């Protein structure tokens, strides 16, 4: 099946495709630099902002999608390598943390002691009341 379109149209389409490919390649380079710098995410939407192409035009180019996926994987790999940076605490900081923990535990124990003292005094009053009742009953029984 022969292409019956005019030669100028065919050349114009090929030139536009080549221009779009170059713009997409440059946009992927810029996107990769920004993703590694942490300025943006590796998505098609952000890539569209760099190259001014439609999502369909980007998705038709398999090489661009593969490169975008590799940029995304590189960013994920970089995050997992860096990961949560554990700060090494100095001995002074460790001791301060331990003192804070002990002070908190001391406060809890002090509150518990106050509660126990209240309970003991209440039990003492109850025992005194019961002893007084027993004494009254015993006195009443002796009088009869």
């Amino acid at each position: 099946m022969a292409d019956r379109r005019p030669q100028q149209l065919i050349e114009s389409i090929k030139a536009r495709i080549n221009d779009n490919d170059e713009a997409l390649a440059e946009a992927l380079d810029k996107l990769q630099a920004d993703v590694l710098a942490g300025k943006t995410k590796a998505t098609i939407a952000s890539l569209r902002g760099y190259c001014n192409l439609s999502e369909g035009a980007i998705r038709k180019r398999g090489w661009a999608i593969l490169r975008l996926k590799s940029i995304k994987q590189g960013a994920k790999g970089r995050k997992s390598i860096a990961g949560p940076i554990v700060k090494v605490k100095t001995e002074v900081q460790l001791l301060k943390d331990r003192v804070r923990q002990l002070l908190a535990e001391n406060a809890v124990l002090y509150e518990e002691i106050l509660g126990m003292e209240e309970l003991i005094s209440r039990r003492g009053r109850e025992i005194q009341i019961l002893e007084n009742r027993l004494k009254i009953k015993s006195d009443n029984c002796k009088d009869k």
Side-chain angles (χ1 to χ4, degrees), residues 104-118:
E105 186 178 340
N106 189 27
V108 170
L109 291 174
Y110 181 72
E111 291 293 324
E112 191 174 330
I113 288 171
L114 290 178
M116 292 293 196
E117 285 179 349
E118 179 65 31

Side-chain angles (χ1 to χ4, degrees), residues 22-69:
E22 289 175 13
L24 188 56
E26 291 174 11
L28 282 166
D29 292 338
K30 290 177 187 176
L31 179 69
Q32 184 175 13
D34 286 349
V35 167
L36 292 178
K39 294 179 182 178
T40 187
K41 292 184 178 182
T43 62
I44 290 183
S46 58
L47 182 59
R48 285 182 61 206
Y50 286 99
C51 64
N52 295 324
L53 293 176
S54 68
E55 184 175 337
I58 295 170
R59 287 194 183 277
K60 284 181 185 177
R61 293 162 172 84
W63 61 269
I65 298 299
L66 289 175
R67 177 118 184 256
L68 182 65
K69 286 181 181 179

